[in-house]
Amino acid sequence: MSLLDVRDLRVSYGSADGDVHAVDGVSLSIEAGEFVGLAGESGCGKTTMAMAIPQLLPRNARITSGSVTFDGVDLSALDEHAMRAYRWKEISVVFQGALNALNPVQTIGSQIAEPIRVHDSSVTSAQADDRMRELLEAVGIPSRRAHDFPHQFSGGMRQRVMIAMALACRPRLVIADEPITALDVMTQAQIIDLLQSLSDRYNLAMLLISHDLSVLAQTCDRVAVMYAGKMAETGPSQDVFGESSGQVLARHPYTQRLLRAYPNIHRERVFIDGIPGSPPDLSKPQKGCRFQPRCDVALTQCANVAPELVALNDRHFAACHLLDADSSGVQ
Amino acid sequence: MPPLLRRFLVLCASIFAIVTFNFFLFHVIPGDPIRLIARSQRLSPEQVAKLREAYGLDGSIFSQYLTYLKNLAHGDLGYSFALHENVGDIVGRALVNTLILLTVSTTVVVLLGIAIGVFAGSRQGSKSDSATVVTSLVFWSLPTFWVGMLLVFIFGVWLGGLPISGITTPNAEYQNYFQYIADIARHLILPTLTLALVDIAFFVIITRTSLIEVMSEDYMLTARGKGLSQRTMVWKHATRNALLPVVTASVLYISALVAGAIQVEVVFSWPGMGLLTYNSVLARDYPTLEACFLIISVAVLVANFIADLVYRRLDPRVAVA
Amino acid sequence: MAFDVSTNDESIDVPPSGFSAMLRSIWADRLGRIGLILLVVTAVVAVLGPFVFPFNPADVGADSSTILQPPSADHWLGTDELGRDVFREFLAGARISLFVGIMATLISTVIGAGIGIVAGYFMGPLDTTLMSATDFFLVIPALPLMIAMGAIFGQNLLIIILVIGLLSWPRTARIVRSQTLSLRQRQYVARAKSLGASDARIIRRNVAPHVLQLIVANTILVVAGCILAEATLSFIGLGDPDRISWGSMLHFAFVSGAVGLGAWWYFMPPGLGILVVVLGFTLVGHSFERIANPRLKGE
């Protein structure tokens, strides 16, 4: 059994112009200790999907169908009170933009130590304090800075604080939502190294959300690519982002276009908005493949029938009618 | 220059400005302060002569100003012909009584106002929230003195049981100090209730708006993600952040507080600065009125300075580096 | 919901809508509608009331049996401490209270908006000087100063209006200045300047119309404050003895001991009157503020 199993998840936002179906039937599983990447353009639903796991969606969002099973328990069926026991204790989050995600009027030490005692009342405040200092050292911050406030740290240091905070209760799954955007390249590399080493050290499963494919390719065991609320392609990192004799291994045209926007995935970082056109308006009902208007290899049925995920091998899946044709050809 | 020192210099400059303003208001604009005083008090020629000397009226305006500053520096606030006493002594007693009233009522108003504001703001859009907002707007629209009159009517005439006038029971004999304190406390109930009914609304509205903004901040999502209860989130994480704008806004409240206190002291005959101001208006006792205005203004400036210090303690981002 | 629209420019982009459009949007707001109704009722009472039931201050009772009498068929709201009809006095008082409140507000708005626009438009040392003065008047307690000035200058309607008006402008000045400052950065002001338009013309044509809506919203709230200030000053005993306002009625009710005698018909109506008119202006003002400032919407 997987540690986390998201099945056919649908999330909508209520808005004045009708519901926006931000996540529309997405499935994703994560094994214990696995490092999974989630890629896609802004607005593709990756943050919504990630925040639906610990039920941290904004008020106007609701899960309309599907399940989020963590360690055998369907979290989407829990009420707010029962859910609190899972938050941070089992699943913690490294939020986007650490400056705003840290409380400006509390010392970083108290913010890191806080969840430890909330989730385990047997811990004394001295023990929580020790653990907090240990965590600070683990992320490379001198523990004497525990009494400092968030504004006294640089951007990269704040992100380290955020990571230390996420590890406070020794969770089994950490969701890192764009943990390195708005950092300079050197700091980005350090934070990614830190995440990787900590995940190895504590045997953490990690869901790393980023639109930076090179980061995902470097770090993740497995990656998932979302487009307009749907899963486009998912599989082992080397299958989705790898190359074989000069040919990309990715099978979905969207993933291929993304990769082409990166001339060399291991060197240059180019933001992925290099594809002509823009994603569809998700408040309108969608018929057919969502990528079809921007796809240069679309078939006739692409405009009318939404493609299902097709198994390319036992771990690599993609949702594209071109692959239907392939597989029907084989049969 | 350190910000604290800068603020302190601004305070000193403001006090100097208000002292000068006071001089113009009471000594220059009326033409002759003696004539102003003589308008309602019968003064003997000797008294007039003494006053002219005390105010330095024989010299130019500038030398009058210097005399005025010199008198102030010696704590000489003039002589009240209506009360036959040095104004400094009268004001000193009144100031103590006003500080008792303001300390108690401000504590009640601020604590209850913030608590109700947080309560309403954390339930934004609910029935109890809108009821709180509407109730606050209604009470904020009431004249303080009229609320006091209603309470005098209700508790003095209709129900009875609570003292409606003064700071102690006249001719009371106390066995010990606690009875004396208890008597003052009983006399404090209605004045405090009056100020609370009207002024709590100010803090409710500001705290509520501020809390609603804070609740949508990213760090509140972090707090929720940590598995904290709604109560811990609101009171431990949101409230302290929400208080920052409240402290800033309380500068505007200080003026309203002074106005409220004056009215309450008049209605309940609380022997403080407000009642003294009122009585000196009725008796046209200008030296006392002048001193009241000066002391109240300086006290407000000092209160502003203190509010600024509190703000610096609450927000680590502006703390003195 | 997640994005921030608080940049100063946003609120300026609200097109200056006409008077009727403004009324319609306030009417659409529940609290704004209640406020409008309260104001219309007050206006009718204050304007028409004294015509239908004129009040003669000299019309005192014949003897002591006529004073502080409870409501009756002759005197719908009883009599005051001089045996006069409280109902008629109340109607006359409504007119004085509203008149003083509105006149004082006009003075305060003209001063506040003028200082705010000049300071915000010309910036530099002029701005610093004007704003130092504004801050000074913002922090010194208004009521004691009004009392002092009232006591020095004497008791008549004009003095009261001037005293309240001359001391109520600092907040308006602050608000208008910050709006003017941000307007000044806008392109069309720079364009008008480069075309050689004079400062006066730019202020008249390009700045004033855009701060107008803000000034209106603020003015509505200032009226509430001025009416309360008048009531308080008159209660303290600084009202015009010949023109009785609601505040002066409450002063006489208080000093004549009407409260202790239980003469509720004397001190209840003026207080409720003040509540209704102040609440009316407050509700309409807040409602207008919400419309003019989209950030507060949805509350």
Side-chain angles (χ1 to χ4, degrees):
Chain A
M1 189 179 60
S2 306
L3 178 67
L4 175 79
D5 201 5
V6 178
R7 278 277 146 254
D8 196 31
L9 186 73
R10 284 169 214 273
V11 183
S12 328
Y13 288 94
S15 86
D17 315 322
D19 285 359
V20 177
H21 306 285
V23 174
D24 201 355
V26 170
S27 300
L28 180 73
S29 64
I30 300 178
E31 306 299 323
E34 195 182 19
F35 214 115
V36 176
L38 187 55
E41 291 164 290
S42 7
C44 73
K46 52 190 197 301
T47 295
T48 303
M49 132 94 201
M51 289 302 144
I53 297 169
Q55 316 285 320
L56 288 178
L57 294 167
R59 258 200 216 172
N60 62 338
R62 59 174 201 286
I63 296 179
T64 51
S65 74
S67 63
V68 177
T69 311
F70 182 85
D71 199 19
V73 178
D74 182 6
L75 302 182
S76 65
L78 296 182
D79 63 14
E80 184 74 11
H81 183 78
M83 191 60 225
R84 266 167 42 205
Y86 281 87
R87 291 191 186 133
W88 232 251
K89 181 89 194 89
E90 301 285 358
I91 305 170
S92 66
V93 185
V94 175
F95 288 98
Q96 201 169 353
L99 177 59
N100 297 328
L102 293 170
N103 193 328
V105 300
Q106 289 178 3
T107 63
I108 58 144
S110 72
Q111 293 188 61
I112 294 171
E114 182 183 30
I116 302 175
R117 296 194 69 203
V118 165
H119 288 285
D120 185 353
S121 47
S122 70
V123 178
T124 66
S125 68
Q127 286 169 330
D129 210 55
D130 288 346
R131 171 115 181 91
M132 175 268 289
R133 284 168 199 281
E134 191 186 301
L135 284 163
L136 276 180
E137 299 285 351
V139 297
I141 295 177
S143 57
R144 64 184 151 78
R145 298 205 61 187
H147 297 295
D148 287 352
F149 290 93
H151 71 277
Q152 291 165 301
F153 291 86
S154 68
M157 292 291 259
R158 280 196 288 264
Q159 202 52 266
R160 286 167 190 267
V161 170
M162 199 68 228
I163 291 168
M165 196 155 93
L167 300 182
C169 297
R170 303 184 196 279
R172 283 190 279 174
L173 172 65
V174 173
I175 297 168
D177 186 7
E178 306 271 11
I180 56 165
T181 26
L183 298 179
D184 63 80
V185 179
M186 275 295 285
T187 320
Q188 284 190 352
Q190 288 168 3
I191 295 290
I192 289 298
D193 287 348
L194 179 67
L195 281 175
Q196 250 183 327
S197 69
L198 289 172
S199 121
D200 291 347
R201 186 158 142 200
Y202 298 111
N203 193 31
L204 292 171
M206 171 109 45
L207 178 62
L208 176 62
I209 302 171
S210 179
H211 55 243
D212 191 333
L213 300 191
S214 57
V215 164
L216 298 181
Q218 270 170 51
T219 52
C220 296
D221 306 319
R222 210 149 51 78
V223 290
V225 179
M226 280 182 74
Y227 183 79
K230 285 231 180 248
M231 193 60 83
E233 184 160 8
T234 169
S237 211
Q238 63 271 23
D239 287 3
V240 179
F241 291 153
E243 289 182 13
S244 162
S245 52
Q247 282 289 304
V248 293
L249 294 173
R251 301 301 299 276
H252 196 287
Y254 175 60
T255 321
Q256 293 169 349
R257 290 299 302 261
L258 281 184
L259 289 169
R260 248 181 279 154
Y262 280 74
N264 184 331
I265 202 166
H266 297 290
R267 254 188 294 128
E268 261 180 85
R269 288 157 198 270
V270 180
F271 285 114
I272 58 174
D273 300 330
I275 305 172
S278 54
D281 177 358
L282 294 179
S283 64
K284 307 245 157 36
Q286 302 293 322
K287 202 174 67 164
C289 175
R290 284 157 197 212
F291 188 59
Q292 179 264 335
R294 297 166 84 182
C295 183
D296 45 16
V297 292
L299 306 171
T300 42
Q301 71 262 41
C302 292
N304 300 310
V305 185
E308 299 287 325
L309 278 174
V310 173
L312 301 160
N313 59 41
D314 59 338
R315 299 188 67 200
H316 188 185
F317 302 83
C320 180
H321 286 305
L322 288 170
L323 304 171
D324 294 348
D326 282 6
S327 53
S328 61
V330 169
Q331 275 165 4
Chain B
M1 199 184 336
L4 217 55
L5 179 64
R6 219 188 121 254
R7 281 291 296 147
F8 184 72
L9 290 180
V10 169
L11 171 70
C12 294
S14 307
I15 290 178
F16 183 71
I18 199 81
V19 165
T20 309
F21 183 81
N22 187 60
F23 173 75
F24 272 89
L25 190 61
F26 282 88
H27 296 238
V28 179
I29 294 178
D32 181 352
I34 310 296
R35 221 180 314 140
L36 191 67
I37 295 168
R39 209 153 82 186
S40 53
Q41 319 290 344
R42 269 173 212 285
L43 300 180
S44 65
E46 294 85 48
Q47 284 174 320
V48 173
K50 256 178 82 179
L51 272 177
R52 299 195 75 85
E53 197 195 332
Y55 282 111
L57 287 189
D58 300 326
S60 64
I61 288 218
F62 185 69
S63 75
Q64 286 180 37
Y65 179 56
L66 288 182
T67 311
Y68 162 80
L69 285 184
K70 207 168 73 195
N71 291 345
L72 268 189
H74 287 95
D76 179 6
L77 293 170
Y79 184 80
S80 163
F81 293 92
L83 299 170
H84 306 291
E85 206 182 344
N86 276 326
V87 173
D89 299 337
I90 306 170
V91 167
R93 284 196 306 273
L95 194 58
V96 172
N97 293 339
T98 292
L99 286 180
I100 294 173
L101 173 66
L102 286 189
T103 311
V104 173
S105 60
T106 309
T107 310
V108 171
V109 165
V110 170
L111 292 183
L112 272 179
I114 289 173
I116 297 173
V118 169
F119 175 88
S122 62
R123 286 165 184 72
Q124 188 196 2
S126 69
K127 277 226 165 62
S128 56
D129 176 39
S130 21
T132 309
V133 172
V134 172
T135 313
S136 301
L137 287 178
V138 170
F139 276 98
W140 189 239
S141 301
L142 287 169
T144 311
F145 66 86
W146 187 65
V147 174
M149 288 166 80
L150 283 186
L151 292 183
V152 167
F153 175 64
I154 294 172
F155 291 97
V157 181
W158 193 21
L159 299 176
L162 281 173
I164 54 168
S165 168
I167 187 170
T168 50
T169 312
N171 310 318
E173 293 194 4
Y174 303 108
Q175 310 290 324
N176 52 45
Y177 202 64
F178 292 107
Q179 284 186 346
Y180 175 60
I181 301 285
D183 194 33
I184 293 180
R186 272 165 46 79
H187 282 78
L188 263 172
I189 295 176
L190 288 183
T192 303
L193 183 62
T194 307
L195 279 176
L197 281 176
V198 179
D199 290 0
I200 278 177
F202 178 87
F203 285 96
V204 170
I205 297 285
I206 291 188
T207 309
R208 175 184 172 274
T209 312
S210 170
L211 190 89
I212 287 171
E213 285 201 11
V214 167
M215 287 301 277
S216 66
E217 296 282 349
D218 289 353
Y219 53 79
M220 293 309 296
L221 183 65
T222 309
R224 197 167 150 230
K226 282 177 172 178
L228 306 183
S229 64
Q230 172 80 5
R231 191 192 294 170
T232 314
M233 281 170 61
V234 167
W235 291 100
K236 199 175 156 209
H237 285 255
T239 301
R240 190 152 157 218
N241 284 288
L243 285 186
L244 301 176
V246 176
V247 176
T248 317
S250 50
V251 171
L252 296 173
Y253 171 69
I254 292 173
S255 189
L257 173 73
V258 168
I262 292 176
Q263 299 170 50
V264 160
E265 288 189 5
V266 170
V267 173
F268 293 98
S269 304
W270 185 269
M273 298 295 290
L275 187 64
L276 191 61
T277 306
Y278 175 71
N279 285 334
S280 49
V281 167
L282 292 189
R284 295 295 184 264
D285 179 359
Y286 289 99
T288 309
L289 182 62
E290 177 187 344
C292 286
F293 172 65
L294 187 65
I295 299 294
I296 291 174
S297 304
V298 171
V300 166
L301 291 175
V302 173
N304 273 318
F305 179 67
I306 293 172
D308 198 60
L309 295 186
V310 171
Y311 186 84
R312 281 164 197 285
R313 272 207 66 78
L314 274 176
D315 190 347
R317 286 164 294 185
V318 297
V320 189
Chain C
M1 20 128 264
F3 52 85
D4 190 292
V5 288
S6 69
T7 55
N8 278 325
D9 284 357
E10 296 288 338
S11 47
I12 304 166
D13 285 332
V14 177
S17 45
F19 183 68
S20 63
M22 180 186 115
L23 277 182
R24 258 199 307 280
S25 43
I26 292 173
W27 186 256
D29 180 62
R30 196 166 51 97
L31 290 180
R33 188 183 316 171
I34 296 173
L36 275 182
I37 293 172
L38 293 179
L39 288 186
V40 168
V41 170
T42 315
V44 168
V45 165
V47 173
L48 298 181
F51 287 121
V52 186
F53 302 99
F55 172 68
N56 179 6
D59 191 7
V60 296
D63 55 55
S64 62
S65 69
T66 60
I67 66 167
L68 288 179
Q69 290 303 301
S72 63
D74 285 346
H75 301 291
W76 295 348
L77 287 176
T79 59
D80 68 6
E81 84 285 5
L82 297 174
R84 298 178 296 193
D85 185 84
V86 172
F87 178 64
R88 288 165 185 262
E89 199 174 352
F90 171 79
L91 295 179
R95 195 177 265 193
I96 302 296
S97 288
L98 268 181
F99 177 73
V100 174
I102 290 171
M103 292 311 285
T105 304
L106 286 182
I107 294 176
S108 138
T109 301
V110 168
I111 299 175
I115 289 185
I117 289 180
V118 168
Y121 182 81
F122 291 102
M123 305 194 285
L126 186 60
D127 179 34
T128 316
T129 314
L130 287 175
M131 281 305 115
S132 303
T134 305
D135 286 345
F136 180 70
F137 280 99
L138 202 60
V139 290
I140 56 170
L143 183 64
L145 184 51
M146 288 180 189
I147 293 174
M149 290 176 76
I152 289 170
F153 294 116
Q155 291 163 260
N156 69 60
L157 225 46
L158 181 67
I159 300 271
I160 294 172
I161 290 171
L162 283 175
V163 163
I164 298 176
L166 289 174
L167 294 176
S168 305
W169 55 267
R171 283 192 65 176
T172 312
R174 271 260 162 231
I175 294 170
V176 170
R177 171 186 172 268
S178 64
Q179 189 81 334
T180 309
L181 264 184
S182 67
L183 270 171
R184 205 182 186 289
Q185 326 293 345
R186 313 205 90 200
Q187 267 196 325
Y188 59 78
V189 172
R191 203 180 310 132
K193 240 187 141 72
S194 68
L195 288 174
S198 70
D199 287 330
R201 190 187 155 85
I202 295 174
I203 289 178
R204 214 171 49 243
R205 299 287 299 271
N206 301 84
V207 177
H210 289 89
V211 288
L212 195 63
Q213 203 175 26
L214 187 79
I215 293 174
V216 171
N218 184 57
T219 302
I220 299 170
L221 291 171
V222 172
V223 180
C226 286
I227 288 176
L228 274 177
E230 187 279 333
T232 310
L233 276 184
S234 298
F235 173 74
I236 297 288
L238 291 168
D240 186 334
D242 298 328
R243 292 173 207 275
I244 292 180
S245 70
W246 285 337
S248 336
M249 281 179 79
L250 290 167
H251 169 73
F252 290 119
F254 179 70
V255 296
S256 69
V259 183
L261 295 169
W264 55 267
W265 56 88
Y266 191 9
F267 66 84
M268 286 300 282
L272 290 174
I274 296 169
L275 169 63
V276 164
V277 61
V278 172
L279 186 62
F281 279 112
T282 306
L283 291 179
V284 171
H286 278 293
S287 169
F288 190 75
E289 221 174 38
R290 270 200 299 274
I291 293 160
N293 184 354
R295 214 181 164 194
L296 298 168
K297 254 185 203 160
E299 267 194 47

